[in-house]
């Protein structure tokens, strides 16, 4: 694989290094030059600041290379091959830092003494009078650094340590670095959630004997190959930060350098920690799991968890790192037995992370006076080691430890820090497994008789909590808390965005359309127009001539709104309606803006006895109007197109996708023919068999999707564009290339075939082979295109999204019921046209409408950040998907509200735009929060149910109570049934017999026929407890 360096990223980061060196001389120990060298490449897992600096600047490790940074020069000693790679950085280096890049090429087979001596001479010639900054701990790394060390000592050059300065530069990360850290954090958390926890549960449930080291090896394989847990990250960019650590059985070492032993996992306290790297950026997550914990252990874990959450909350911009440690100490002291727990606290509670796993200058301990800055990433790790506890009824003390760690990002502007590993749950109810019946003395009687996991062989996941109900409430409570936090943040963001955009409001100029002119002079009109007065259609001038008061008056086809023709006997009536100000066109009607004080003709009617001629004229007028409207529509669409760059054809090997169709197609009859999609230097080109082609530029791609055929009939790649392009005569922002993996037409005239029919089995096998082959071809094409994007266009951060089917739901975004699926960045539906692609970052809030008890479907309304844009509704979403959708929206930091009715959003958004300050003062988006008012309404309805009333009113209230009974809880039903049994009155059988008599009596009185009476008799009435009959 060829190596390319991102010149723009190199220049930006080199400029940042020089700026930091210039701004804070104390941090760099007043050094006048900086010398950093890297030794030979090694397969060992090592973290060196010199290598981290190379990865940060170049994106690759450059072994056996010496770099010297001077105020006006940068000297690099390296091999010829590496020098040719660095040659193209000279111009960017001069442009960004005004420093000249000088390459010293070390000939093959030589040790580089001459080149190092030249660098030493350049440092002395600079005559800064300041010491040279080095990394003392890495001074002997490699041959070049050894030569430098010996030569500098011989020349008596003063050296100082610049590790603090380099650490600070590497600590504050840009957007690309943060994205890499988020991907690594996602993998770490998902590995803990989807692999480690299920593995531990299976070990406990089936009483397997698995060594700690074996589980560590398997977990490492998952991190380096995440497709096993359905995480879509390229394995070549992945690595471990350290071998995963699993400890149990009383032997605990909470340091990341700890090693797993070969002893089997013990069913007591299990400490698990792991870290994944993505593009060299490190993350960490650690959790402690308890089997049959004692009350003392639960209290200790709760105290540790509160301390960690307090530390995370303290990590805001400007926070002193020693204050974070002090916050942990004070939180532990406030807990029960806090003084005792404090003696078991680790010496630090975390450290800064990045390319280096542990940044020594950013330790969260009691002495570090450094401050947290935006873009810094910390491992917040609170551990209690050397703890002891005794099982209930036992005097033997058992040793255990607690460790909770997460990767945390410091946000800008004093905002709350972002926990990047939040998907790995850590609440006590989620990490506690209760397997011992006898230990649960405080459980309710019915819980004591519940089978243990050991006896029933049930899943450990189902039995791990003391109370499933408590767990659900806990998850719901966490979701509500997150939504409350999002509500406050969303109101602030809305006000800030609307206030900033208020100044530019109305600055955009309306499109100026050309004036409609049918004839420039009277002489251009047809001859004989006034002598033969009749309605004439002039296609050349795109005009219709109407006889008015003895004169032919021309009207351009664009001024006509509609034409109707009504025949009455031997006469026909022709009615023509024109566009006027205030109609469909509104103020954008060109004639209305040009002549605001004129009087417009609204409609005109004609009567004719020549029915044949009238029908002909009507058809000609409609055809002319249709032609003009279509032409103007295409012209408007083309006028709004953004000019695209020219496609640069690739030379040599071109990645192709053969025999694929395009949607939308080029139009016309017989145009649905397969073509070829090619990936060139800066874009795609699709070649159709009839010579038509379409270019899609990489820079115009906003989102890219790859959806293999699973339960669908097609495999596809889909591109959602920044700016629309023309496909044939259609303007579109979505382009799709697909292949049908199986025939969509089935033979209906044949009889049913047996499942053992050899022809049927062979046909199914062929379809499976075709689907697998097509999916593999698309996957290979996508992988190669992804490599092109990463090498040539890393700044675009393009990546193929794969929809998550497990989060999908059915709904009606346009006209048909389709399956909508989320991706990492979007909500999409890519099978049926029109396509649905909604960018999650453009969503302001979500309104879940028509949500209520007994309702099967609800509507999902999407409100965009651009309030001038219409909201998008997905109707008829099944109610059983609402919890999944809520969880997904919360995980994506999208605020949602629930409503019982559909809202009219256009006037609401206009009101917000008119006065955003008033909108926020009145509570902002909280006007959508119907929970409080709904609670009051429910209480009033319940009170009304108990008010005595007449017979007719009792029947109405009975129907309301029947509807309400559908949503009663099981506990209410049990209580109600007990009350009914205790009441003195008729039994259910007597009530049912009474109801039948009443039905017959009413049928006779009201004159119902026997069929209606039978229908009424057979119709069961709904009551509490789900039994039939009436009360």
């Amino acid at each position: 694989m060829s190596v390319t360096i991102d010149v723009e990223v190199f220049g930006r980061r080199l400029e940042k290094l020089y700026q930091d060196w210039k701004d804070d001389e104390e941090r760099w120990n007043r050094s006048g030059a900086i010398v950093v060298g890297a030794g030979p490449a090694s397969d060992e897992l090592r973290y060196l600041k010199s290598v981290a600096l190379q990865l940060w600047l170049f994106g690759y490790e450059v072994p056996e290379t010496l770099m010297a940074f001077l105020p006006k020069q940068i000297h690099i000693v390296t091999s010829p091959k590496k020098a040719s790679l660095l040659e193209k950085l000279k111009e960017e280096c001069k442009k960004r830092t005004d420093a000249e890049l000088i390459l010293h090429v070390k000939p093959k087979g030589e040790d580089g003494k001459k080149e190092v001596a030249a660098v030493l001479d350049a440092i002395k010639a600079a005559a800064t009078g300041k010491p040279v900054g080095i990394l003392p701990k890495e001074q002997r790394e490699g041959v070049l650094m050894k030569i430098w060390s010996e030569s500098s000592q011989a020349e008596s050059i003063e050296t100082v340590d610049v590790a603090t300065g380099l650490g600070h530069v590497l600590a504050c990360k840009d957007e690309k670095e943060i994205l890499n850290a988020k991907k690594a954090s996602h993998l770490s958390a998902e590995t803990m959630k989807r692999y480690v926890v299920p593995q531990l549960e299976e070990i406990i449930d089936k009483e397997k004997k698995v060594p700690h080291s074996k589980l560590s090896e398997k977990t490492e394989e998952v991190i380096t190959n995440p497709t096993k847990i359905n995480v879509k990250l390229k394995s070549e960019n992945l690595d471990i930060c350290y071998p995963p650590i699993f400890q149990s059985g009383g032997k605990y070492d909470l340091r990341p350098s700890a090693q797993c032993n070969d002893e089997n996992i013990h069913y007591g306290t299990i400490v698990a920690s792991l870290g994944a790297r993505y593009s060299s950026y490190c993350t960490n997550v650690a959790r402690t799991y308890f089997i049959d914990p004692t009350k003392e252990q639960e209290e200790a874990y709760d105290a540790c968890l509160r301390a960690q959450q307090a530390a995370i909350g303290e990590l805001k911009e400007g926070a002193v790192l020693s204050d974070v440690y002090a916050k942990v100490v004070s939180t532990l002291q406030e807990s029960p037995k806090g003084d005792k727990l404090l003696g078991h606290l680790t010496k630090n509670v975390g450290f800064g992370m990045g390319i280096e796993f542990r940044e020594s200058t950013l330790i969260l301990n009691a002495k570090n006076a450094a401050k947290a800055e935006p873009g810094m990433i910390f491992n917040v790790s609170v551990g209690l080691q050397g703890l002891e506890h005794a099982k209930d009824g036992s005097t033997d003390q058992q040793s255990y430890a607690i460790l909770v760690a997460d990767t945390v990002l410091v946000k800008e502007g004093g905002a709350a820090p972002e926990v990047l590993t939040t998907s790995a749950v850590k609440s006590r109810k989620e990490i506690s497994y209760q397997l011992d019946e006898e230990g649960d003395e405080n459980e309710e009687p019915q819980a004591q008789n519940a089978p243990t996991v050991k006896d029933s062989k049930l899943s450990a996941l189902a039995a791990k909590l003391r109370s499933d109900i408590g767990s659900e409430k806990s998850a719901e409570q966490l979701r509500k808390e997150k939504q409350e936090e999002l509500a406050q943040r969303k109101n602030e963001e809305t006000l800030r965005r609307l206030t900033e955009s208020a100044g530019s409001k109305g600055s955009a100029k309306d499109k100026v359309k050309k004036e409609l002119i049918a004839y420039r002079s009277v002489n251009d009109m047809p001859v004989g127009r006034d002598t033969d007065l009749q309605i004439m259609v002039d296609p050349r001038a795109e005009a219709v001539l109407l006889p008015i008061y003895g004169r032919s008056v021309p009207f351009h086809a664009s001024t006509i709104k509609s034409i109707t023709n009504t025949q009455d006997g031997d006469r026909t009536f022709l009615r023509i309606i024109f566009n006027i100000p205030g109609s469909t066109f509104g103020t954008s009607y060109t004639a209305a803006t040009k002549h605001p004080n004129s009087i417009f003709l609204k409609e005109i009617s004609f009567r004719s006895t020549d029915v044949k001629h009238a029908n002909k004229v009507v058809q000609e007028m409609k055809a002319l109007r249709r032609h003009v409207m279509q032409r103007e529509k295409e012209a408007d669409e083309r006028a709004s197109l953004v000019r695209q760059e020219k496609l640069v054809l690739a030379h040599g090997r071109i990645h192709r996708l053969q025999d694929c169709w395009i949607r939308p197609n080029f139009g016309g009859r017989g145009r649905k023919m397969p073509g070829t999609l090619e990936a060139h230097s800066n874009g795609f080109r699709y070649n159709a068999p009839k010579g038509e082609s379409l270019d899609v530029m990489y820079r115009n791609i906003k989102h890219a999707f790859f959806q293999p055929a699973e339960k669908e009939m097609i495999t596809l790649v889909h591109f959602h564009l920044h700016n629309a392009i023309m496909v044939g005569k259609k303007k579109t922002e979505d382009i799709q290339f697909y292949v049908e993996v199986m025939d969509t037409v089935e033979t209906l005239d044949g009889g049913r075939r047996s499942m053992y029919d050899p022809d049927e089995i062979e046909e199914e096998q062929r379809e499976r082979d075709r689907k697998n082959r097509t999916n593999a071809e698309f996957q290979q094409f996508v992988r190669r295109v992804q490599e092109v994007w990463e090498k040539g266009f890393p700044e675009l951060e393009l990546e193929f999204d794969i929809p998550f089917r497990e989060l999908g739901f059915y709904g009606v975004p346009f006209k048909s019921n389709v399956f909508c699926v989320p991706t990492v960045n979007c909500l999409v539906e890519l099978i049926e046209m029109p396509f649905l692609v909604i960018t999650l970052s453009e969503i302001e809030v979500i309104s879940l409408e028509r949500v209520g008890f007994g309702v099967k479907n609800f509507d999902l309304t999407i409100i965009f950040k651009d309030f001038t844009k219409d909201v998008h509704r997905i109707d008829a979403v099944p109610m059983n998907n609402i919890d999944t959708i809520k969880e997904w929206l919360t995980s994506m930091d999208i605020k949602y509200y629930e409503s019982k009715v559909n809202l009219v959003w256009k006037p609401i958004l206009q009101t917000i735009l008119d006065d955003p300050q008033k909108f926020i003062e009145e509570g902002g988006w909280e006007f959508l929060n119907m929970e409080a008012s709904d609670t009051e309404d429910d209480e009033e309805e319940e009170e009304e149910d108990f008010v005595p009333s007449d017979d007719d009113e009792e029947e109405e209230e009975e129907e309301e109570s029947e509807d309400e009974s559908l949503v009663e809880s099981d506990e209410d039903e049990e209580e109600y049934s007990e009350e009914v049994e205790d009441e003195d009155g008729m039994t259910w059988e007597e009530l049912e017999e009474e109801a039948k008599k009443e039905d017959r009596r009413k049928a006779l009185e009201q004159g119902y026929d026997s069929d209606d009476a039978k229908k009424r008799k057979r119709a069961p009435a709904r009551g509490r407890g789900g039994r039939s009959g009436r009360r």
Side-chain angles (χ1 to χ4, degrees):
M1 185 180 70
S2 61
V3 176
T4 56
I5 298 176
D6 192 323
V7 177
E8 195 275 333
V9 172
F10 165 79
R12 187 174 67 247
R13 293 179 178 176
L14 182 67
E15 183 181 9
K16 178 182 176 182
L17 186 149
Y18 267 81
Q19 191 65 41
D20 194 90
W21 185 17
K22 177 182 177 181
D23 292 344
D24 196 334
E25 293 185 349
E26 293 296 333
R27 186 184 293 142
W28 296 83
N29 278 332
R30 298 188 176 277
S31 57
I34 302 170
V35 177
V36 180
S42 174
D43 293 334
E44 296 180 7
L45 198 59
R46 303 175 64 197
Y47 295 101
L48 301 174
K49 208 172 290 299
S50 56
V51 176
L53 180 63
Q54 290 182 352
L55 291 170
W56 185 66
L57 287 174
F58 308 128
Y60 300 94
E61 181 180 351
V62 189
E64 288 292 355
T65 300
L66 179 78
M67 296 186 294
F69 299 91
L70 281 68
K72 295 296 181 181
Q73 291 177 337
I74 299 175
H75 295 265
I76 299 180
V77 180
T78 188
S79 64
K81 188 175 181 180
K82 300 185 188 77
S84 63
L85 184 66
L86 302 175
E87 186 73 30
K88 63 179 182 180
L89 303 179
K90 288 186 174 182
E91 183 178 348
E92 186 73 11
C93 184
K94 187 71 175 176
K95 173 184 172 183
R96 294 279 188 169
T97 63
D98 197 28
E100 181 184 2
L101 177 60
I102 302 174
L103 299 174
H104 302 269
V105 181
K106 178 175 72 69
K108 189 175 181 179
E110 297 187 9
D111 57 6
K113 281 187 177 180
K114 292 190 299 183
E115 289 73 27
V116 172
V119 174
L120 197 59
D121 292 340
I123 293 175
K124 291 189 292 184
T128 59
K130 297 179 180 180
V132 177
I134 61 170
L135 300 173
K137 293 182 180 179
E138 303 176 24
Q139 197 169 358
R140 309 295 293 181
E141 288 288 335
V143 177
L144 292 176
M145 280 306 297
K146 290 179 181 178
I147 295 173
W148 157 260
S149 179
E150 294 169 358
S151 302
S152 61
Q153 289 178 5
E155 296 287 343
S156 301
I157 293 179
E158 181 185 0
T159 59
V160 292
D161 188 359
V162 292
T164 302
L166 282 176
H168 180 266
V169 171
L170 297 175
C172 299
K173 297 165 182 60
D174 56 30
E175 292 182 1
K176 187 175 181 180
E177 294 177 280
I178 292 173
L179 179 62
N180 289 334
K182 286 185 176 181
K183 290 180 179 180
S185 300
H186 175 69
L187 176 57
S188 296
E190 290 300 300
T191 302
M192 184 70 76
K193 175 184 176 181
R194 298 189 185 185
Y195 183 78
V196 172
V197 171
Q199 284 293 313
L200 291 176
E201 290 170 351
E202 184 179 2
I203 291 170
I204 297 166
D205 183 24
K206 298 183 179 180
E207 298 183 357
K208 291 184 177 180
K209 297 186 181 298
V210 179
H212 299 104
S213 56
K214 185 67 175 178
L215 183 57
S216 175
E217 292 173 3
K218 290 184 176 180
T219 306
E220 182 176 338
E221 292 176 3
V222 171
I223 294 175
T224 54
N225 185 16
T227 54
K228 295 180 179 180
I229 55 173
N230 201 27
V231 173
K232 310 297 183 182
L233 292 175
K234 298 183 67 174
S235 57
E236 54 263 36
N237 294 332
L238 300 173
D239 200 356
I240 56 170
C241 298
Y242 57 88
I245 303 171
F246 297 94
Q247 303 173 85
S248 64
K251 299 178 181 179
Y252 302 95
D253 183 355
L254 302 186
R255 296 174 299 175
S257 58
Q259 299 291 325
C260 290
N261 57 37
D262 293 329
E263 297 180 7
N264 293 331
I265 293 175
H266 181 267
Y267 306 157
T269 303
I270 304 173
V271 176
S273 57
L274 57 91
R277 299 171 71 191
Y278 183 84
S279 294
S280 301
Y281 285 84
C282 301
T283 54
N284 187 54
V285 62
R287 296 290 183 264
T288 303
Y289 299 96
F290 293 102
I291 317 308
D292 293 331
T294 62
K295 186 176 181 180
E296 181 183 358
Q297 286 180 302
E298 291 177 346
E299 291 177 351
Y301 182 81
D302 289 343
C304 184
L305 185 59
R306 284 194 299 270
Q308 195 229 16
Q309 291 172 339
I312 293 174
E314 194 74 12
L315 264 178
K316 297 180 180 179
E317 181 181 359
V320 180
L321 301 189
S322 59
D323 292 345
V324 178
Y325 184 87
K327 188 68 175 179
V328 172
V329 172
S330 62
T331 305
L332 282 177
Q333 286 177 333
E334 294 171 0
S335 63
K337 300 182 181 180
D339 294 335
K340 178 182 177 181
L341 295 176
L342 203 55
H344 299 278
L345 181 65
T346 52
K347 294 181 180 179
N348 64 71
V349 294
F351 42 81
M353 304 181 75
I355 298 178
E356 286 189 282
F357 177 73
R358 183 177 184 271
E359 178 51 65
S360 58
T361 60
L362 296 175
I363 305 295
L364 300 177
N365 57 25
K367 298 180 180 179
N368 197 341
K371 294 184 178 181
E373 298 181 25
M376 286 185 174
I377 294 177
F378 286 89
N379 169 41
V380 181
S381 174
V382 178
L384 301 173
Q385 57 188 2
L387 296 170
E388 292 184 346
H389 77 103
K391 277 283 186 182
D392 297 338
S394 173
T395 58
D396 296 335
Q397 294 290 324
Q398 298 179 5
S399 177
Y400 73 100
I402 298 174
L403 180 64
V404 185
D406 283 291
T407 303
V408 179
L409 170 65
V410 180
K411 305 289 282 186
E412 195 173 4
E418 181 181 355
V419 181
L420 304 182
T421 51
T422 186
S423 61
V425 295
K426 57 184 176 180
S427 65
R428 176 162 56 84
K429 291 183 179 180
E430 296 287 348
I431 55 89
S432 298
Y433 295 77
Q434 196 67 37
L435 306 181
D436 188 0
E437 291 177 310
E438 298 176 358
D440 296 339
E441 297 177 357
N442 297 327
E443 293 289 321
E444 296 181 4
Q446 61 269 27
Q448 293 179 359
N449 297 326
T452 63
V453 175
K454 191 172 182 179
D455 295 336
S456 65
K457 298 298 181 183
L458 295 174
S459 169
L461 179 62
K464 69 180 182 177
L465 303 180
R466 292 178 180 269
S467 171
D468 288 338
I469 298 176
S471 172
E472 293 172 5
K473 290 182 178 178
S474 175
E476 180 68 21
Q477 186 63 31
L478 289 174
R479 189 166 66 196
K480 285 185 177 180
E481 291 175 359
K482 182 67 178 291
Q483 285 292 318
E484 289 174 1
E485 178 187 342
L486 288 173
Q488 182 178 0
R489 191 194 313 169
K490 184 58 62 179
N491 285 335
E492 295 173 356
E493 291 178 1
T494 302
L495 178 61
R496 182 171 62 252
R497 187 178 67 256
L498 294 180
T499 303
E500 291 174 354
S501 62
S504 59
K505 184 178 179 181
S507 60
K509 294 182 179 180
D510 295 333
K511 292 189 297 182
V512 179
K513 293 187 178 181
K514 64 178 183 180
E515 187 176 0
L516 302 176
I517 299 177
Y519 303 101
R520 296 191 175 275
S521 67
V522 178
N523 298 328
D524 295 335
M525 296 177 66
V527 179
R529 59 188 179 277
D530 293 333
T531 57
D532 186 13
L533 289 177
Q534 62 178 358
I535 301 176
M536 300 175 60
V537 179
D538 187 356
R540 181 184 60 82
E542 297 178 350
V544 176
L545 287 84
L546 302 178
I548 302 177
Y549 296 119
R551 296 281 184 181
S552 290
V553 180
F555 292 86
H556 195 277
S558 297
T559 63
I560 298 174
K561 183 178 180 180
S562 64
I563 309 144
T564 58
N565 184 21
T566 305
Q567 187 172 350
D568 184 10
D570 59 347
R571 295 177 298 177
T572 185
F573 295 89
L574 181 64
R575 184 185 181 192
I576 303 174
I577 301 176
F578 297 93
N579 293 311
I580 60 173
S583 63
T584 307
F585 279 81
T587 56
S588 62
Y589 184 36
T590 307
T593 56
K594 188 172 182 64
H595 308 283
N597 299 322
S598 299
I599 298 175
F600 289 82
L601 179 64
K602 183 176 181 180
E603 65 177 83
I604 188 170
S605 298
F606 295 92
R607 185 182 64 181
S608 173
T609 57
D610 191 347
V611 177
K612 185 176 180 181
H613 176 69
N615 291 334
K616 178 184 176 183
V617 167
V618 168
Q619 294 301 322
E620 290 178 351
M621 292 171 63
K622 288 183 176 180
L624 176 61
R625 181 180 178 277
R626 185 165 53 249
H627 170 73
V628 172
M629 292 295 103
Q630 182 66 26
R631 190 198 64 210
E632 290 186 353
K633 181 181 178 181
E634 292 180 9
D636 289 343
E637 289 179 347
R638 292 185 181 277
S640 62
L641 293 176
V642 177
R643 185 179 180 86
Q644 303 291 325
E645 60 183 310
K646 187 177 180 180
L647 182 70
V648 178
L649 299 179
H651 299 286
R653 186 178 181 183
I654 299 175
H655 305 309
R656 290 184 174 89
L657 196 59
Q658 304 281 359
D659 298 330
C660 60
W661 285 275
I662 183 175
R663 290 198 294 183
N665 55 35
F666 289 109
R669 293 184 178 180
R671 295 296 184 91
K672 189 181 178 183
M673 299 180 65
T676 302
L677 179 64
E678 300 175 346
H680 290 277
S681 299
N682 64 336
F684 296 102
R685 170 164 286 181
Y686 178 77
N687 295 311
K690 293 190 175 181
E692 297 162 315
S693 65
L694 176 72
D695 295 341
V696 181
M697 300 297 107
Y698 296 152
R699 296 187 184 277
N700 194 28
I701 297 176
K702 186 176 183 180
H703 300 294
F705 307 97
F706 165 53
Q707 184 167 315
E710 294 181 6
K711 296 183 179 180
E712 298 84 9
M713 306 291 286
I714 62 174
T715 299
L716 62 89
V717 289
H718 186 101
F719 302 110
H720 183 66
L721 309 179
H722 289 285
N723 303 306
I725 61 175
M726 296 296 292
V727 179
K729 296 182 179 181
K730 300 176 183 177
K731 180 181 177 182
T732 180
E733 292 181 347
D734 290 279
I735 301 293
Q736 184 178 112
F737 305 96
Y738 70 98
V739 169
E740 295 178 353
V741 297
M742 61 181 68
D743 297 331
T744 57
V745 179
E746 298 182 0
T747 303
L748 301 178
D749 55 354
R752 297 187 62 182
R753 300 167 70 176
S754 170
M755 62 180 292
Y756 301 107
D757 186 352
D759 294 337
E760 181 78 10
I761 296 173
E762 184 179 355
E763 184 179 346
E764 290 178 357
Q765 185 61 41
R766 282 199 302 268
E767 289 181 351
R768 281 193 295 269
D769 293 343
R770 180 181 177 185
K771 181 175 71 172
N772 294 335
R773 184 172 62 254
T774 303
N775 288 344
E777 291 174 356
F778 270 72
Q779 181 113 28
Q780 186 179 21
F781 178 78
V782 165
R783 185 169 61 251
R784 289 173 176 173
V785 171
Q786 189 71 53
E787 292 174 357
V788 173
W789 287 346
E790 292 180 356
K791 293 177 186 177
F793 303 88
E795 71 281 0
L796 300 181
E797 298 181 355
L798 287 174
E799 190 170 0
F800 278 96
D801 272 357
I802 298 180
F804 301 116
R805 290 192 59 88
E806 60 272 16
L807 298 178
F809 55 90
Y810 283 94
V812 185
F814 296 103
K815 293 183 179 180
S816 58
N817 191 13
V818 295
F819 190 65
C820 306
V821 287
T823 69
V824 175
N825 302 307
C826 301
L827 175 65
V828 302
E829 189 284 309
L830 306 176
I831 302 300
E832 296 189 20
M833 294 184 68
F835 304 118
L836 173 71
V837 179
I838 295 176
T839 306
L840 299 183
S841 60
E842 296 177 357
I843 296 177
E844 180 74 5
V845 293
I846 297 285
S847 177
L848 307 177
E849 300 177 349
R850 292 196 306 109
V851 177
F853 295 118
V855 180
K856 294 183 179 180
N857 301 313
F858 69 95
D859 301 332
L860 189 148
T861 304
I862 301 169
I863 300 94
F864 297 97
K865 292 181 179 179
D866 182 4
F867 289 169
T868 60
K869 187 177 180 180
D870 291 337
V871 300
H872 193 98
R873 290 174 48 140
I874 302 177
D875 297 328
V877 180
M879 187 61 72
N880 56 4
N881 292 119
I882 192 167
D883 288 333
T884 303
I885 292 174
K886 287 180 179 179
E887 289 290 347
W888 166 62
L889 293 175
T890 304
S891 66
M892 301 307 296
D893 288 346
I894 297 177
K895 176 61 182 170
Y896 66 82
Y897 292 93
E898 294 183 29
S899 173
K900 292 184 179 180
V901 296
N902 291 118
L903 302 177
V904 182
W905 281 99
K906 196 165 186 177
I908 294 175
L909 297 179
Q910 188 59 48
T911 303
I912 298 173
L913 286 172
D914 292 341
D915 194 348
Q917 186 67 44
K918 183 180 179 182
F919 169 68
I920 299 301
E921 290 175 355
E922 293 178 351
W925 293 107
E926 287 303 300
F927 80 92
L928 294 172
N929 192 352
M930 303 293 184
E931 290 186 359
S933 59
D934 289 346
T935 304
E936 294 175 0
D937 293 342
D938 292 342
E939 290 176 356
E940 292 177 0
E941 290 177 3
E942 290 176 3
E943 291 175 359
E944 291 175 359
D945 288 343
F946 293 93
V947 176
S949 59
D950 298 331
D951 294 338
D952 294 338
E953 295 175 351
E954 286 178 359
E955 290 181 3
E956 294 177 0
E957 290 179 1
E958 183 179 349
E959 293 176 358
E960 294 177 1
S961 66
E962 289 169 358
D963 292 337
E964 291 175 354
S965 68
L966 296 176
V967 296
E968 298 274 323
S969 64
D970 294 340
E971 292 83 354
D972 291 341
E973 290 178 359
E974 292 173 3
E975 292 175 4
Y976 180 81
S977 63
E978 291 173 0
E979 291 174 3
V980 171
E981 291 174 1
D982 294 339
E983 289 178 355
D984 294 331
M986 291 185 292
T987 64
W988 281 105
E989 289 75 10
E990 294 171 342
L991 288 170
E992 188 167 354
E993 186 64 29
E994 185 70 20
K996 291 178 180 178
K997 293 179 180 179
E998 183 68 16
D999 288 341
R1000 285 194 294 270
R1001 184 182 63 80
K1002 287 187 177 181
L1004 292 173
E1005 291 178 355
Q1006 298 178 11
Y1008 291 167
D1009 58 38
S1010 59
D1011 291 338
D1012 291 338
K1014 289 179 181 179
K1015 290 179 181 178
R1016 288 177 54 82
K1017 184 169 63 175
R1018 285 197 300 266
R1022 293 178 298 176
R1024 293 183 184 264
R1027 300 185 61 175
S1028 62
R1030 297 182 58 181
R1031 297 184 56 223

